[in-house]
Amino acid sequence: MSIREITEEDINGVIEVYNSNQDFLMFHIGRQEVNIQWLIQEQKEMKAKDFKILVVKENESNAIIGFIDIGFMEECYLSLLMVHNEFRCKGYGKEIYDALEGYLRENNFRRIRIDVAYGYSEEVLQFWENRGFEGIKKIKLQWMDRLFDTIVMEKDLN
């Protein structure tokens, strides 16, 4: 598995990952699929906030199996870690997160934060709790034109 910053040639693979997760799309943006224009706009908005999209490739096939939306700040902010639906429940999410956490520790980041929308999937909340994240507070989070009840979760990396 390799993780690197997105390039233009990765856009279709990232769209495929999004579109393989239709439950996520319906809950979060109210549609079953996204297209190139949507991803380019999302990428511009992320870049304006100093966030990066990192693609995750499977070594044997070189296929994009997931991606990470992340802001490398004093308190690193993990906006989204998504795995292609065909690769879910096979340990890839854990492997991707463990690689990310290793990178953050090596580069002296002290804390990582995620915001988890509740009412979407108990599995997602459990995944982050199993990685050592703790719920800090509940907030309202806006993504696009939607407002979500969200739990802020943090993990100290010291």
Side-chain angles (χ1 to χ4, degrees):
M1 178 180 69
S2 64
I3 302 173
R4 63 168 173 70
E5 202 165 331
I6 192 172
T7 64
E8 198 171 311
E9 68 190 29
D10 299 321
I11 289 176
N12 287 330
V14 172
I15 290 169
E16 187 177 318
V17 172
Y18 264 116
N19 290 340
S20 76
N21 288 281
Q22 290 186 347
D23 289 344
F24 174 90
L25 291 175
M26 287 302 296
F27 182 84
H28 288 88
I29 64 173
R31 48 200 285 197
Q32 290 186 319
E33 63 180 26
V34 296
N35 57 32
I36 289 174
Q37 292 78 19
W38 182 89
L39 183 60
I40 290 171
Q41 182 61 35
E42 178 74 2
Q43 198 175 3
K44 281 181 188 174
E45 291 173 15
M46 297 290 281
K47 202 173 215 175
K49 297 176 184 175
D50 291 328
F51 278 74
K52 296 180 184 288
I53 299 175
L54 307 177
V55 294
V56 181
K57 287 193 168 188
E58 200 264 337
N59 287 337
E60 286 182 34
S61 66
N62 205 32
I64 295 175
I65 62 168
F67 65 89
I68 301 166
D69 290 342
I70 192 162
F72 293 107
M73 308 153 199
E74 184 178 329
E75 176 185 76
C76 184
Y77 182 78
L78 177 57
S79 177
L80 181 62
L81 186 160
M82 183 176 282
V83 176
H84 192 290
N85 195 48
E86 289 181 19
F87 293 90
R88 288 190 65 230
C89 301
K90 296 180 180 178
Y92 285 101
K94 180 184 179 317
E95 189 177 344
I96 293 165
Y97 175 75
D98 288 348
L100 175 64
E101 185 177 309
Y103 172 84
L104 296 174
R105 287 179 186 277
E106 288 170 13
N107 288 278
N108 299 315
F109 286 92
R110 296 173 190 226
R111 183 180 306 127
I112 185 167
R113 170 188 165 167
I114 57 173
D115 298 337
V116 178
Y118 49 91
Y120 164 61
S121 169
E122 285 299 315
E123 291 175 3
V124 173
L125 188 59
Q126 188 67 50
F127 176 86
W128 294 113
E129 288 172 344
N130 289 345
R131 309 278 85 69
F133 282 81
E134 295 180 8
I136 303 300
K137 62 183 174 182
K138 293 180 179 181
I139 62 168
K140 297 280 188 188
L141 179 72
Q142 184 166 352
W143 187 38
M144 304 183 127
D145 62 346
R146 293 186 170 214
L147 197 60
F148 298 95
D149 291 321
T150 307
I151 184 164
V152 175
M153 301 183 83
E154 292 181 346
K155 180 177 181 180
D156 286 326
L157 301 175
N158 296 334

